[in-house]
Amino acid sequence: MFENLVNQEAGKQLAADIKANRLPGAILLAGPEASGKLTAALETARILSCHQKPQGKWTCTCPSCLQHKALICSNLMVMGPRDCSLEISAAAKAFTEAHFINAKYIDAARYLFLRSVRKLTLRFNGILWEGDTNLNKIGSLIEEINEKLEPLDFPRPLPDVNEVKKLCEEIAKLTVKLENDFLYDSIPINQVRNMEAWAHIKSEEGKKTVIIENAERMQTSVRNALLKILEEPPEDVVFILITSKRNAIMQTILSRVRTYNFLNRNQEGQKEVIERVFHNMDFKGSINEYLLTYLPVTPSELKAQARVFYNSVASRQICDIEEIVKKCQNFYPRIELRIFLEYIIQYMKPLLKSQAGSEALAQAMAKLRTCNDNITLWNQKPVSALEVLLRDMFALNNRFGGVFCAAM
């Protein structure tokens, strides 16, 4: 069990509870980003539905395990926001390079790419999105992605190297559009209600699993709706919540789940994951740092543009917002926006040295969150949202007597 979960003691704890038949109907996987929580959640879903005894070997070929490994099982529902585009790009590179050299791990690399795409498309299950005004547009995009995935899927023989590379590039572009245009930064309450209706339909075979990623981002109304089903969960459904911020989870939800803690892997552990999963033997940094190498705009450029923006506030001089957005390629994928705003926060940390600065920082953080929400939730254009943010930051700086200082 959990053979593909590297260097996490939580995998052994989950395996022991499953073997002893003491896994509760709702669990929480908590720990830092890129620590294997979604991998563990998907493995838990597969193991619970496995038809073979002993249960749960990764090499199992029962119909349920094959469907779960390909992430096409109808008993699996995945919800919640996630930055998928970088993992898809990294998986595409590992897959195309393995195909080019006819590597012995080609099947593993093939699964890696297929699963990386489906970790995103699973979140657009038609059942979840029933009643959403974007359902038809989403359906068209999903159909196009699936058509391009078909020649790459098992058990078909792979096309030639150039065709595989072309298909991977086309799929990556489509998934970026799907994620950026339609994936909500917080789960809509209608999706929780649709999920609840699905969960109460008895499964024909095996357990159903509902995975909710970034559970801390749920709004109060959504948390309350989820709480109701966690209080009386259907007998054949397991709920797996995932978070990197356990303290942000509502206490009444925490009281109804068993927590499994994931730790930040040490440098050697992270290197092992990069080698085993992405087959890169040369990279020396963390998993997050490795994935960031696939950003269309480098982190250093995002940092530089964040400095331009922040120094504009500090000097009380208007900067060229359109030029910043252009150099950041319109913050596409949206993870670039998060990184850009995080750099602005870093530049503001010296404000903590004074009382006025601390108050200004708290108010500035609220403005940054609003800017992020305006772009990711309400689809405001980045130029417009940043212009509003700049105006609000100017006002803050004036209100607190020019407390913002230029960053070097």
Side-chain angles (χ1 to χ4, degrees), residues 93 97 271 274-275 279-285 290:
K93 184 179 180 183
E97 287 185 351
K271 187 174 185 294
I274 293 168
E275 290 177 355
H279 304 280
N280 184 304
M281 307 301 167
D282 302 319
F283 192 80
K284 305 300 182 185
Y290 176 71

Side-chain angles (χ1 to χ4, degrees), residues 207-218:
K207 279 187 175 290
K208 287 182 171 181
T209 305
V210 177
I211 297 173
I212 302 177
E213 198 164 14
N214 287 303
E216 76 280 355
R217 297 192 201 175
M218 290 185 293

Side-chain angles (χ1 to χ4, degrees), residues 116-141:
S116 70
V117 174
R118 287 171 180 154
K119 284 177 186 177
L120 173 63
T121 58
L122 271 172
R123 296 162 207 269
F124 293 93
N125 187 313
I127 296 170
L128 278 180
W129 289 75
E130 186 176 348
D132 194 287
T133 56
N134 290 314
L135 184 57
N136 289 337
K137 294 177 183 177
I138 291 168
S140 297
L141 257 180

Side-chain angles (χ1 to χ4, degrees), residues 270-280 283 285-286:
Q270 303 227 21
K271 187 174 185 294
E272 183 180 352
V273 172
I274 293 168
E275 290 177 355
R276 282 182 54 174
V277 176
F278 298 105
H279 304 280
N280 184 304
F283 192 80
S286 68

Side-chain angles (χ1 to χ4, degrees), residues 320-332:
D320 190 340
I321 295 293
E322 288 189 2
E323 183 66 15
I324 290 175
V325 172
K326 181 180 178 182
K327 287 185 176 179
C328 295
Q329 295 188 20
N330 208 40
F331 299 106
Y332 220 69

Side-chain angles (χ1 to χ4, degrees), residues 31-47:
E33 292 183 4
S35 56
K37 301 185 296 297
L38 181 57
T39 296
L42 293 170
E43 269 297 87
T44 301
R46 182 187 68 81
I47 292 165

Side-chain angles (χ1 to χ4, degrees), residues 307 310-312 314-315 347 350 403-408:
R307 186 190 299 115
Y310 178 73
N311 284 347
S312 172
S315 64
Y347 291 133
V403 71
F404 293 92
C405 297
M408 303 302 293

